[in-house]
């Protein structure tokens, strides 16, 4: 059982159909390129939804993981271990926050943020028990837990999974007025993505982040930025909030924090917020484990150089300039920031899935989202030549449908 056909047949028969993968079976990967079981190479333009910002098999990250594997992999948080302090101090310095609470997946970090915001609301803000509400955005994507899908506006993500967790108010993304109207005395937080990734790389209007910051400060509400997909270099800055010089009260991080090796997530906040959590009130057996922290430490060291942020900014200019040339040639709009783009293809030509398959046939792996939108988010290690080649393949694919 080693051919693409056999492996897909068994995967489909023996696994739940909660994904609809492209028909490629990847065997190995280096940098921005992956190789399938038949030896065909593809340029990875999805990068594990930004988990592989630093490239497949990044030598520094792999070395850190290998070293750690030899020494210590798990203690549980019942004991301290020697990678933990460096990780929390390093991530605290990177975010400019006092404290870190590490978890594993992105959804767990979002759940952590929700719990901390509620507890802060009751203990610090003085909201009456059980009354806290959190303002969230239309078309958000924060993960798949029952609480998180309770405030999703995507029917596929939400329907059939009730009863839903109460305490969320959904407002239009990009409108500070909509937030202002939804705020009341029981509002404890605004939870948002500085760029909505799954929704199609939607960038809010200029000034939005600044206005949300001002509103949250004025109303005594926590500003919680879910930077799980937008953070850690992807947009050309360490955090997407940096584009407006805005500092949220809480960062929610994941994906690239694990270097594409292990799931590592965390929230970062100051002591007046994160200090509300006491022993026994939250945690995870694997959260902050030695392997995760060692990998996270390598990621933090990489980010501290600023090299990947600059590279994403420079290559992002190249990518967006080239993509804009396709507007009017089968492309309707292009959005994004840094090395991250949402490309709306004319829906009368092809679905996003058809375009993704066309790209795959030409050696480029990308993913569609909602209708005819294609997301491009290659590992930041990609060469300029490969990046331009990928856009050429997109142009060819679209031309083939015209
Ligand atoms: C902004 C955002 N938040 C949360 C998540 C959930 O992360 P995970 O899949 O690791 O639970 C994602 C995943 O795509 C995301 O993009």
């Amino acid at each position: 059982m080693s051919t693409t056909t056999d492996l897909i047949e068994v995967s489909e028969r023996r696994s739940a159909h909660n994904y609809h993968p492209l028909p490629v079976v990847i065997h190995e990967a280096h940098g921005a390129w992956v190789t399938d079981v038949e030896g065909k190479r593809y340029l990875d333009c999805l990068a594990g939804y930004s988990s592989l910002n630093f490239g497949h098999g990044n030598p520094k990250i792999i070395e850190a993981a290998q070293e750690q594997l030899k020494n210590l992999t798990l203690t549980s948080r019942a004991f301290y271990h020697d990678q933990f302090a460096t990780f929390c101090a390093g991530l605290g310095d990177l975010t400019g926050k006092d404290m870190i609470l590490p978890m594993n997946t992105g959804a767990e970090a979002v759940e952590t943020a929700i719990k901390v915001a509620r507890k802060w609301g009751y203990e610090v803000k003085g909201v009456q028990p059980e009354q806290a509400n959190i303002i969230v955005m239309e078309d958000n994507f924060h993960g798949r837990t029952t609480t998180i899908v309770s405030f999703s506006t995507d029917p596929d993500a939400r329907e059939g999974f009730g009863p839903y967790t109460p305490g969320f108010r959904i407002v239009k993304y990009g409108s500070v007025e909509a937030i202002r109207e939804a705020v009341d005395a029981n509002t404890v937080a605004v939870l948002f993505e500085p760029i909505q990734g799954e929704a199609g790389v939607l960038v809010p209007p200029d000034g939005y982040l600044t206005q949300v910051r001002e509103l949250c400060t004025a109303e005594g509400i926590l500003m919680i930025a879910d930077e799980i997909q937008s953070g850690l270099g992807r947009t050309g800055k360490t955090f997407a909030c940096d584009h407006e010089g805005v500092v949220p009260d809480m960062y929610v991080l994941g994906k690239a924090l694990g270097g594409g090796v292990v799931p590592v997530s965390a929230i970062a906040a100051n002591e007046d917020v994160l200090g509300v959590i006491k022993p026994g009130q939250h945690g995870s057996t694997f959260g902050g484990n030695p392997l995760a922290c060692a990998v996270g430490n390598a990621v933090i060291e990489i980010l501290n150089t600023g090299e990947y942020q600059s590279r994403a900014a420079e290559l992002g200019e190249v990518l967006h300039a080239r993509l804009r040339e396709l507007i009017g040639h089968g492309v309707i709009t292009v959005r994004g920031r840094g090395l991250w783009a949402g490309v709306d293809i004319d829906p009368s030509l092809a679905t996003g899935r058809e375009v993704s398959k066309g790209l795959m046939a030409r050696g480029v792996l990308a993913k569609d989202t909602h209708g005819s939108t294609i997301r491009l988010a290659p590992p930041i290690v990609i060469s300029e030549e490969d990046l331009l080649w990928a856009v050429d393949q997109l142009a060819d694919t679209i031309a083939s449908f015209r």
Side-chain angles (χ1 to χ4, degrees):
M1 187 170 62
S2 60
T3 66
T4 296
T5 312
D6 292 348
L7 292 164
I8 291 180
E9 192 275 319
V10 177
S11 302
E12 287 303 304
R13 196 155 39 81
R14 304 304 297 270
S15 77
H17 295 169
N18 53 333
Y19 283 92
H20 186 198
L22 288 171
V24 55
V25 182
I26 298 168
H27 171 64
E28 64 171 84
H30 304 282
W33 287 86
V34 307
T35 307
D36 76 4
V37 285
E38 266 104 26
K40 182 170 179 197
R41 294 177 80 227
Y42 300 85
L43 186 59
D44 179 2
C45 285
L46 182 65
Y49 301 94
S50 288
S51 302
L52 288 150
N53 281 358
F54 315 110
H56 290 273
N58 179 294
K60 193 174 167 64
I61 297 172
I62 296 297
E63 194 192 323
Q66 282 172 336
E67 277 308 305
Q68 192 57 40
L69 280 171
K70 287 186 224 156
N71 292 338
L72 177 72
T73 51
L74 193 67
T75 54
S76 87
R77 292 285 308 281
F79 316 111
Y80 293 92
H81 63 76
D82 63 1
Q83 298 298 311
F84 189 72
T86 311
F87 177 71
C88 295
L91 192 56
D93 290 348
L94 189 76
T95 54
K97 297 294 182 191
D98 299 338
M99 289 179 155
I100 300 300
L101 199 167
M103 297 292 282
N104 310 287
T105 65
E108 284 175 298
V110 173
E111 288 275 351
T112 306
I114 292 167
K115 284 176 70 176
V116 170
R118 285 179 170 183
K119 204 151 203 307
W120 172 86
Y122 299 127
E123 292 182 5
V124 179
K125 186 168 173 169
V127 172
Q128 290 304 300
E130 306 288 308
Q131 298 305 307
N133 70 68
I134 295 177
I135 296 173
V136 295
M137 305 299 147
E138 280 175 9
D139 297 323
N140 69 71
F141 188 86
H142 297 287
R144 301 289 193 174
T145 63
T146 40
T147 286
I148 294 172
V149 301
S150 294
F151 58 86
S152 172
T153 56
D154 175 354
D156 286 340
R158 184 175 193 272
E159 277 168 22
F161 301 115
Y164 301 111
T165 307
F168 298 96
R169 297 181 171 185
I170 302 169
V171 305
K172 190 171 155 39
Y173 184 61
S175 162
V176 77
E177 275 318 306
I179 301 177
R180 202 186 309 281
E181 280 166 26
V183 169
D184 69 12
N186 295 328
T187 304
V188 295
V190 175
L191 168 64
F192 70 101
E193 297 154 84
I195 293 177
Q196 288 191 324
E198 297 304 299
V201 196
L202 302 187
V203 182
D206 282 347
Y208 176 68
L209 303 177
T210 310
Q211 288 174 309
V212 174
R213 176 66 278 176
E214 286 166 2
L215 179 69
C216 287
T217 304
E219 298 282 351
I221 300 167
L222 299 179
M223 180 186 193
I224 305 178
D226 178 346
E227 294 253 18
I228 287 171
Q229 195 165 161
S230 60
L232 311 185
R234 173 57 54 192
T235 68
K237 304 261 187 201
T238 306
F239 303 108
C241 284
D242 294 346
H243 288 278
E244 290 194 25
V246 160
V247 179
D249 297 299
M250 204 189 288
Y251 289 99
V252 188
L253 303 171
K255 295 198 193 281
L257 193 55
V261 176
V262 280
V264 186
S265 69
I267 65 165
N270 280 338
E271 190 172 3
D272 56 343
V273 176
L274 205 33
V276 299
I277 295 291
K278 300 285 183 305
Q281 294 175 345
H282 192 61
S284 156
T285 304
F286 293 96
N289 70 70
L291 182 60
C293 288
V295 166
N297 287 336
V299 166
I300 294 161
E301 272 183 34
I302 286 174
L303 286 166
N304 280 337
T305 68
E307 284 165 26
Y308 282 77
Q309 294 90 322
S310 309
R311 188 173 174 79
E314 283 158 26
L315 288 179
E317 296 282 328
V318 173
L319 173 68
H320 285 275
R322 181 71 186 94
L323 285 173
R324 277 195 298 271
E325 289 171 17
L326 303 183
I327 295 175
H329 303 276
V331 167
I332 295 174
T333 26
V334 178
R335 292 174 302 273
R337 198 157 255 168
L339 203 51
W340 198 15
V343 184
D344 291 343
I345 314 287
D346 180 348
S348 68
L349 292 178
T351 62
R353 175 93 183 165
E354 286 164 341
V355 175
S356 297
K357 281 190 161 175
L359 280 170
M360 192 187 126
R362 290 169 175 79
V364 175
L365 295 183
K367 183 78 174 72
D368 53 299
T369 182
H370 304 291
S372 294
T373 301
I374 298 290
R375 276 177 286 188
L376 297 176
I380 301 169
V381 292
I382 192 172
S383 70
E384 183 172 333
E385 194 188 350
D386 286 348
L387 184 65
L388 290 171
W389 177 80
V391 183
D392 287 346
Q393 304 319 302
L394 179 63
D396 275 5
T397 304
I398 295 168
S400 74
F401 291 111
R402 299 181 87 201

Short mmCIF file of all heavy atoms in Angstrom, two decimals, residues 339-387:
data_model
loop_
_atom_site.label_atom_id
_atom_site.label_comp_id
_atom_site.label_asym_id
_atom_site.label_seq_id
_atom_site.Cartn_x
_atom_site.Cartn_y
_atom_site.Cartn_z
N LEU A 339 3.13 38.15 2.95
CA LEU A 339 3.13 36.96 2.09
C LEU A 339 1.84 36.16 2.29
O LEU A 339 1.86 34.96 2.60
CB LEU A 339 4.38 36.12 2.40
CG LEU A 339 4.86 35.18 1.30
CD1 LEU A 339 5.00 35.89 -0.03
CD2 LEU A 339 6.17 34.55 1.70
N TRP A 340 0.73 36.82 2.10
CA TRP A 340 -0.57 36.23 2.39
C TRP A 340 -1.59 36.90 1.49
O TRP A 340 -1.74 38.13 1.54
CB TRP A 340 -0.92 36.50 3.86
CG TRP A 340 -1.98 35.65 4.45
CD1 TRP A 340 -2.48 34.49 3.96
CD2 TRP A 340 -2.66 35.89 5.69
NE1 TRP A 340 -3.42 33.99 4.82
CE2 TRP A 340 -3.54 34.83 5.89
CE3 TRP A 340 -2.58 36.91 6.65
CZ2 TRP A 340 -4.36 34.74 7.01
CZ3 TRP A 340 -3.40 36.81 7.76
CH2 TRP A 340 -4.27 35.75 7.95
N ALA A 341 -2.25 36.11 0.65
CA ALA A 341 -3.19 36.71 -0.29
C ALA A 341 -4.46 35.88 -0.41
O ALA A 341 -4.41 34.65 -0.41
CB ALA A 341 -2.53 36.86 -1.66
N GLY A 342 -5.57 36.57 -0.54
CA GLY A 342 -6.85 35.96 -0.89
C GLY A 342 -7.17 36.45 -2.30
O GLY A 342 -7.20 37.66 -2.53
N VAL A 343 -7.34 35.51 -3.22
CA VAL A 343 -7.55 35.88 -4.62
C VAL A 343 -8.96 35.44 -5.02
O VAL A 343 -9.25 34.23 -5.01
CB VAL A 343 -6.51 35.17 -5.53
CG1 VAL A 343 -6.65 35.61 -6.97
CG2 VAL A 343 -5.09 35.41 -5.01
N ASP A 344 -9.83 36.38 -5.34
CA ASP A 344 -11.18 36.02 -5.77
C ASP A 344 -11.18 35.80 -7.28
O ASP A 344 -10.93 36.73 -8.05
CB ASP A 344 -12.18 37.14 -5.44
CG ASP A 344 -12.41 37.30 -3.95
OD1 ASP A 344 -12.06 36.37 -3.20
OD2 ASP A 344 -12.93 38.36 -3.54
N ILE A 345 -11.45 34.56 -7.67
CA ILE A 345 -11.51 34.21 -9.09
C ILE A 345 -12.95 34.47 -9.56
O ILE A 345 -13.90 34.26 -8.79
CB ILE A 345 -11.18 32.70 -9.30
CG1 ILE A 345 -9.95 32.28 -8.51
CG2 ILE A 345 -11.11 32.35 -10.78
CD1 ILE A 345 -8.63 32.74 -9.01
N ASP A 346 -13.10 34.88 -10.79
CA ASP A 346 -14.44 35.09 -11.36
C ASP A 346 -15.22 33.77 -11.23
O ASP A 346 -14.84 32.75 -11.82
CB ASP A 346 -14.28 35.47 -12.84
CG ASP A 346 -15.62 35.71 -13.51
OD1 ASP A 346 -16.66 35.37 -12.92
OD2 ASP A 346 -15.60 36.23 -14.64
N PRO A 347 -16.32 33.77 -10.42
CA PRO A 347 -17.02 32.50 -10.17
C PRO A 347 -17.65 31.90 -11.42
O PRO A 347 -17.95 30.70 -11.45
CB PRO A 347 -18.09 32.88 -9.14
CG PRO A 347 -18.16 34.36 -9.10
CD PRO A 347 -16.91 34.90 -9.71
N SER A 348 -17.82 32.71 -12.47
CA SER A 348 -18.40 32.14 -13.69
C SER A 348 -17.37 31.27 -14.42
O SER A 348 -17.71 30.48 -15.31
CB SER A 348 -18.92 33.25 -14.63
OG SER A 348 -17.83 33.98 -15.13
N LEU A 349 -16.10 31.41 -14.05
CA LEU A 349 -15.05 30.61 -14.71
C LEU A 349 -14.88 29.24 -14.05
O LEU A 349 -14.84 28.22 -14.72
CB LEU A 349 -13.71 31.34 -14.66
CG LEU A 349 -13.56 32.62 -15.47
CD1 LEU A 349 -12.18 33.21 -15.27
CD2 LEU A 349 -13.80 32.31 -16.95
N ALA A 350 -14.73 29.26 -12.71
CA ALA A 350 -14.44 28.00 -12.01
C ALA A 350 -14.67 28.18 -10.51
O ALA A 350 -14.63 29.30 -10.00
CB ALA A 350 -12.98 27.61 -12.24
N THR A 351 -14.88 27.06 -9.83
CA THR A 351 -14.94 27.11 -8.36
C THR A 351 -13.50 27.16 -7.83
O THR A 351 -12.55 26.81 -8.56
CB THR A 351 -15.61 25.85 -7.79
OG1 THR A 351 -14.80 24.72 -8.16
CG2 THR A 351 -17.03 25.66 -8.31
N GLY A 352 -13.37 27.51 -6.56
CA GLY A 352 -12.05 27.51 -5.95
C GLY A 352 -11.43 26.12 -5.98
O GLY A 352 -10.23 25.97 -6.16
N ARG A 353 -12.26 25.13 -5.78
CA ARG A 353 -11.77 23.74 -5.79
C ARG A 353 -11.21 23.38 -7.17
O ARG A 353 -10.15 22.75 -7.28
CB ARG A 353 -12.95 22.82 -5.43
CG ARG A 353 -12.65 21.36 -5.51
CD ARG A 353 -12.21 20.81 -4.19
NE ARG A 353 -11.84 19.40 -4.29
CZ ARG A 353 -11.17 18.75 -3.36
NH1 ARG A 353 -10.78 19.37 -2.27
NH2 ARG A 353 -10.87 17.48 -3.50
N GLU A 354 -11.90 23.80 -8.22
CA GLU A 354 -11.42 23.50 -9.58
C GLU A 354 -10.08 24.20 -9.84
O GLU A 354 -9.17 23.63 -10.44
CB GLU A 354 -12.46 23.92 -10.62
CG GLU A 354 -13.66 22.99 -10.67
CD GLU A 354 -14.87 23.57 -11.40
OE1 GLU A 354 -14.97 24.81 -11.59
OE2 GLU A 354 -15.74 22.77 -11.76
N VAL A 355 -9.99 25.43 -9.34
CA VAL A 355 -8.72 26.16 -9.52
C VAL A 355 -7.61 25.47 -8.73
O VAL A 355 -6.50 25.28 -9.24
CB VAL A 355 -8.88 27.65 -9.11
CG1 VAL A 355 -7.54 28.37 -9.18
CG2 VAL A 355 -9.91 28.35 -9.97
N SER A 356 -7.93 25.04 -7.49
CA SER A 356 -6.91 24.34 -6.68
C SER A 356 -6.43 23.08 -7.38
O SER A 356 -5.23 22.76 -7.36
CB SER A 356 -7.47 23.93 -5.32
OG SER A 356 -7.83 25.06 -4.59
N LYS A 357 -7.36 22.36 -8.01
CA LYS A 357 -6.97 21.13 -8.73
C LYS A 357 -6.11 21.47 -9.96
O LYS A 357 -5.15 20.76 -10.27
CB LYS A 357 -8.20 20.35 -9.15
CG LYS A 357 -8.81 19.55 -8.02
CD LYS A 357 -9.87 18.63 -8.57
CE LYS A 357 -10.19 17.51 -7.60
NZ LYS A 357 -11.29 16.68 -8.07
N GLY A 358 -6.47 22.56 -10.63
CA GLY A 358 -5.68 22.99 -11.79
C GLY A 358 -4.26 23.37 -11.36
O GLY A 358 -3.28 23.06 -12.05
N LEU A 359 -4.18 24.04 -10.21
CA LEU A 359 -2.86 24.42 -9.68
C LEU A 359 -2.06 23.17 -9.33
O LEU A 359 -0.86 23.08 -9.62
CB LEU A 359 -3.03 25.28 -8.43
CG LEU A 359 -3.34 26.76 -8.66
CD1 LEU A 359 -3.72 27.43 -7.35
CD2 LEU A 359 -2.15 27.48 -9.29
N MET A 360 -2.74 22.22 -8.72
CA MET A 360 -2.06 20.98 -8.32
C MET A 360 -1.49 20.26 -9.55
O MET A 360 -0.34 19.79 -9.52
CB MET A 360 -3.07 20.08 -7.59
CG MET A 360 -2.42 18.93 -6.90
SD MET A 360 -3.67 17.81 -6.26
CE MET A 360 -3.07 16.32 -7.01
N ALA A 361 -2.27 20.23 -10.62
CA ALA A 361 -1.80 19.57 -11.84
C ALA A 361 -0.54 20.28 -12.37
O ALA A 361 0.30 19.66 -13.03
CB ALA A 361 -2.90 19.58 -12.90
N ARG A 362 -0.41 21.57 -12.05
CA ARG A 362 0.77 22.33 -12.50
C ARG A 362 1.86 22.38 -11.44
O ARG A 362 2.82 23.14 -11.58
CB ARG A 362 0.33 23.75 -12.88
CG ARG A 362 -0.50 23.79 -14.15
CD ARG A 362 -1.14 25.17 -14.36
NE ARG A 362 -1.84 25.21 -15.63
CZ ARG A 362 -3.04 24.69 -15.85
NH1 ARG A 362 -3.68 24.08 -14.88
NH2 ARG A 362 -3.61 24.76 -17.04
N GLY A 363 1.68 21.64 -10.34
CA GLY A 363 2.76 21.55 -9.34
C GLY A 363 2.70 22.59 -8.23
O GLY A 363 3.72 22.85 -7.58
N VAL A 364 1.50 23.15 -7.98
CA VAL A 364 1.37 24.13 -6.90
C VAL A 364 0.24 23.67 -5.97
O VAL A 364 -0.86 23.38 -6.44
CB VAL A 364 1.04 25.54 -7.44
CG1 VAL A 364 0.78 26.52 -6.29
CG2 VAL A 364 2.17 26.05 -8.33
N LEU A 365 0.53 23.62 -4.67
CA LEU A 365 -0.52 23.25 -3.72
C LEU A 365 -1.05 24.51 -3.03
O LEU A 365 -0.30 25.24 -2.38
CB LEU A 365 0.02 22.29 -2.66
CG LEU A 365 0.47 20.92 -3.18
CD1 LEU A 365 0.92 20.04 -2.02
CD2 LEU A 365 -0.65 20.22 -3.97
N ALA A 366 -2.34 24.76 -3.23
CA ALA A 366 -2.99 25.90 -2.56
C ALA A 366 -4.38 25.44 -2.17
O ALA A 366 -4.82 24.35 -2.53
CB ALA A 366 -3.06 27.09 -3.50
N LYS A 367 -5.07 26.27 -1.40
CA LYS A 367 -6.37 25.84 -0.89
C LYS A 367 -7.40 26.91 -1.18
O LYS A 367 -7.14 28.10 -1.05
CB LYS A 367 -6.23 25.62 0.63
CG LYS A 367 -7.46 25.11 1.31
CD LYS A 367 -7.66 23.62 1.06
CE LYS A 367 -8.84 23.06 1.86
NZ LYS A 367 -10.13 23.48 1.38
N ASP A 368 -8.56 26.43 -1.59
CA ASP A 368 -9.68 27.35 -1.80
C ASP A 368 -10.36 27.62 -0.46
O ASP A 368 -10.21 26.87 0.50
CB ASP A 368 -10.68 26.75 -2.78
CG ASP A 368 -11.13 25.36 -2.35
OD1 ASP A 368 -10.27 24.47 -2.26
OD2 ASP A 368 -12.33 25.18 -2.08
N THR A 369 -11.11 28.67 -0.42
CA THR A 369 -11.99 28.93 0.72
C THR A 369 -13.22 29.61 0.18
O THR A 369 -13.11 30.43 -0.73
CB THR A 369 -11.28 29.76 1.82
OG1 THR A 369 -12.17 29.92 2.90
CG2 THR A 369 -10.82 31.11 1.35
N HIS A 370 -14.36 29.27 0.71
CA HIS A 370 -15.62 29.91 0.33
C HIS A 370 -15.73 30.28 -1.15
O HIS A 370 -15.18 31.29 -1.59
CB HIS A 370 -15.86 31.17 1.17
CG HIS A 370 -15.83 30.87 2.63
ND1 HIS A 370 -16.81 30.13 3.25
CD2 HIS A 370 -14.94 31.19 3.58
CE1 HIS A 370 -16.52 30.00 4.52
NE2 HIS A 370 -15.39 30.62 4.76
N GLY A 371 -16.42 29.47 -1.91
CA GLY A 371 -16.70 29.80 -3.31
C GLY A 371 -15.47 29.77 -4.17
O GLY A 371 -14.78 28.76 -4.27
N SER A 372 -15.14 30.91 -4.76
CA SER A 372 -14.06 30.93 -5.75
C SER A 372 -12.83 31.70 -5.27
O SER A 372 -12.12 32.30 -6.06
CB SER A 372 -14.59 31.53 -7.06
OG SER A 372 -15.55 30.66 -7.61
N THR A 373 -12.61 31.69 -3.97
CA THR A 373 -11.43 32.37 -3.42
C THR A 373 -10.30 31.35 -3.20
O THR A 373 -10.52 30.28 -2.66
CB THR A 373 -11.78 33.06 -2.09
OG1 THR A 373 -12.83 33.99 -2.34
CG2 THR A 373 -10.59 33.79 -1.49
N ILE A 374 -9.10 31.75 -3.63
CA ILE A 374 -7.90 30.93 -3.40
C ILE A 374 -7.01 31.68 -2.41
O ILE A 374 -6.83 32.89 -2.53
CB ILE A 374 -7.10 30.75 -4.72
CG1 ILE A 374 -7.94 30.01 -5.76
CG2 ILE A 374 -5.78 30.02 -4.50
CD1 ILE A 374 -8.18 28.56 -5.46
N ARG A 375 -6.49 30.93 -1.45
CA ARG A 375 -5.56 31.53 -0.49
C ARG A 375 -4.14 31.18 -0.88
O ARG A 375 -3.87 30.01 -1.18
CB ARG A 375 -5.79 30.93 0.89
CG ARG A 375 -6.87 31.55 1.65
CD ARG A 375 -7.02 30.82 2.93
NE ARG A 375 -7.66 29.54 2.73
CZ ARG A 375 -8.06 28.77 3.71
NH1 ARG A 375 -7.82 29.11 4.94
NH2 ARG A 375 -8.66 27.63 3.47
N LEU A 376 -3.26 32.13 -0.83
CA LEU A 376 -1.84 31.85 -1.06
C LEU A 376 -1.07 32.29 0.18
O LEU A 376 -1.17 33.46 0.59
CB LEU A 376 -1.33 32.59 -2.29
CG LEU A 376 -1.96 32.21 -3.64
CD1 LEU A 376 -1.41 33.10 -4.75
CD2 LEU A 376 -1.70 30.75 -3.98
N ALA A 377 -0.37 31.37 0.79
CA ALA A 377 0.43 31.68 1.98
C ALA A 377 1.61 30.73 2.03
O ALA A 377 1.67 29.83 2.88
CB ALA A 377 -0.43 31.55 3.24
N PRO A 378 2.57 30.88 1.11
CA PRO A 378 3.69 29.93 1.08
C PRO A 378 4.62 30.11 2.28
O PRO A 378 4.58 31.15 2.94
CB PRO A 378 4.44 30.31 -0.21
CG PRO A 378 4.07 31.74 -0.46
CD PRO A 378 2.69 31.94 0.10
N PRO A 379 5.45 29.11 2.58
CA PRO A 379 6.46 29.31 3.62
C PRO A 379 7.29 30.55 3.27
O PRO A 379 7.57 30.80 2.08
CB PRO A 379 7.31 28.04 3.54
CG PRO A 379 6.42 27.02 2.90
CD PRO A 379 5.55 27.77 1.95
N ILE A 380 7.68 31.30 4.27
CA ILE A 380 8.38 32.58 4.02
C ILE A 380 9.78 32.34 3.44
O ILE A 380 10.38 33.26 2.88
CB ILE A 380 8.38 33.43 5.33
CG1 ILE A 380 6.93 33.69 5.77
CG2 ILE A 380 9.11 34.75 5.15
CD1 ILE A 380 6.79 34.28 7.17
N VAL A 381 10.26 31.11 3.53
CA VAL A 381 11.57 30.78 2.94
C VAL A 381 11.51 30.66 1.41
O VAL A 381 12.55 30.52 0.76
CB VAL A 381 12.15 29.45 3.48
CG1 VAL A 381 12.51 29.57 4.94
CG2 VAL A 381 11.16 28.29 3.27
N ILE A 382 10.33 30.74 0.84
CA ILE A 382 10.19 30.57 -0.62
C ILE A 382 11.09 31.57 -1.36
O ILE A 382 11.30 32.70 -0.89
CB ILE A 382 8.70 30.75 -1.04
CG1 ILE A 382 8.48 30.29 -2.49
CG2 ILE A 382 8.24 32.18 -0.83
CD1 ILE A 382 7.00 30.26 -2.90
N SER A 383 11.65 31.14 -2.51
CA SER A 383 12.47 32.07 -3.29
C SER A 383 11.54 32.95 -4.13
O SER A 383 10.41 32.57 -4.43
CB SER A 383 13.42 31.31 -4.21
OG SER A 383 12.68 30.68 -5.25
N GLU A 384 12.05 34.11 -4.52
CA GLU A 384 11.24 35.02 -5.35
C GLU A 384 10.90 34.34 -6.68
O GLU A 384 9.78 34.47 -7.18
CB GLU A 384 12.02 36.31 -5.58
CG GLU A 384 11.21 37.32 -6.36
CD GLU A 384 11.87 38.69 -6.44
OE1 GLU A 384 12.64 39.04 -5.52
OE2 GLU A 384 11.60 39.40 -7.42
N GLU A 385 11.86 33.61 -7.21
CA GLU A 385 11.65 32.92 -8.49
C GLU A 385 10.49 31.91 -8.38
O GLU A 385 9.60 31.87 -9.23
CB GLU A 385 12.95 32.19 -8.83
CG GLU A 385 13.05 31.71 -10.23
CD GLU A 385 14.29 30.83 -10.40
OE1 GLU A 385 15.14 30.77 -9.48
OE2 GLU A 385 14.36 30.16 -11.45
N ASP A 386 10.50 31.13 -7.30
CA ASP A 386 9.43 30.14 -7.10
C ASP A 386 8.09 30.83 -6.89
O ASP A 386 7.05 30.35 -7.37
CB ASP A 386 9.74 29.24 -5.89
CG ASP A 386 10.85 28.23 -6.20
OD1 ASP A 386 11.21 28.09 -7.38
OD2 ASP A 386 11.35 27.61 -5.24
N LEU A 387 8.13 31.94 -6.17
CA LEU A 387 6.88 32.67 -5.90
C LEU A 387 6.25 33.15 -7.21
O LEU A 387 5.05 32.98 -7.45
CB LEU A 387 7.19 33.85 -4.98
CG LEU A 387 6.01 34.69 -4.50
CD1 LEU A 387 5.08 33.87 -3.61
CD2 LEU A 387 6.52 35.91 -3.71
#
